[in-house]
């Protein structure tokens, strides 16, 4: 910024413009999480915190101590403490690894006090389907008649036993049948 010194509207010190730097004020509770929080069970999720001052200017240097806790909202689970790292220049990364699919509340605190928009919502989807933990049920598994449909249901889960549902974009299964009268078989590929 340029600074001109005037008195009663008259420029004093003509030709000698002064330059000054305007820096953000101290970090405040106006700080925000800068990206939506979507995660996959079993994989590390990272989100970013942008430190801001009380005038909503982004901080360009470190300041303040951020803490983040992630609480599961769909059942009785412990709170996950996110690892918060100062990336300097006013940004912080926060990482956590959920294992249960569902909705979470992400609390972000500055020096022990929730920032203004905390908690943030996070959605954790199931991991990839794990056939070894999945199951099937229905009469079509054990009894079938030639020329008729045999019906059964496959419950596809990830390695943490989270059920893959249409809400979380289901995995695609391919069924291969090599059934004969002497040797019925079905192979499933995810």
């Amino acid at each position: 910024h340029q600074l001109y010194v005037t008195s009663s509207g008259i420029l004093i010190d003509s030709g000698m413009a002064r330059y000054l730097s305007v820096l953000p004020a101290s970090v405040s509770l106006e700080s925000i999480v800068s990206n939506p929080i979507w995660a996959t069970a079993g994989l590390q999720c990272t989100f970013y915190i942008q430190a801001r001052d009380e005038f909503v200017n982004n901080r360009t240097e470190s300041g303040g101590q951020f803490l983040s806790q992630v609480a599961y909202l769909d059942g009785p689970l412990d709170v996950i403490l996110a690892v918060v790292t100062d990336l300097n220049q006013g940004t912080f990364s926060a990482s956590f690894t959920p294992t249960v699919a569902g909705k979470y509340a992400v609390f972000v605190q500055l020096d022990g006090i929730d920032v203004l928009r905390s908690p943030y919502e996070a959605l954790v989807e199931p991991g990839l389907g794990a056939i070894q933990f999945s199951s099937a049920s229905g009469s079509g598994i054990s009894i079938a008649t030639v020329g008729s449909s045999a019906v059964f249901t496959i419950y596809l889960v990830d390695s943490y036993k989270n059920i893959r549902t249409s809400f979380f974009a289901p995995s695609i299964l391919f069924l291969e049948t090599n059934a004969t009268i002497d040797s019925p078989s079905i192979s499933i590929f995810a």
Side-chain angles (χ1 to χ4, degrees), residues 62-144:
S62 296
Q65 181 66 41
F66 285 96
L67 171 76
S68 181
Q69 297 178 10
V70 184
Y72 184 64
L73 296 177
D74 293 335
L77 286 184
D78 291 333
V79 171
I80 302 169
L81 186 62
V83 176
V84 179
T85 304
D86 186 348
L87 301 176
N88 299 315
Q89 301 179 344
T91 45
F92 297 77
S93 67
S95 301
F96 68 100
T97 305
T99 56
V100 178
K103 291 182 182 178
Y104 287 76
V106 178
F107 294 88
V108 177
Q109 296 182 330
L110 171 64
D111 299 329
I113 302 169
D114 282 331
V115 297
L116 293 179
R117 292 160 194 85
S118 180
Y120 293 88
E121 185 176 293
L123 184 63
V124 176
E125 67 178 358
L128 295 174
I131 296 296
Q132 69 271 26
F133 298 114
S134 299
S135 63
S137 67
S139 62
I141 290 176
S142 58
I143 300 172

Side-chain angles (χ1 to χ4, degrees), residues 154 173-178 185-190:
I154 298 172
L173 298 178
F174 298 96
L175 300 179
E176 179 182 287
T177 59
N178 296 315
S185 70
I186 296 177
S187 301
I188 302 172
F189 303 94

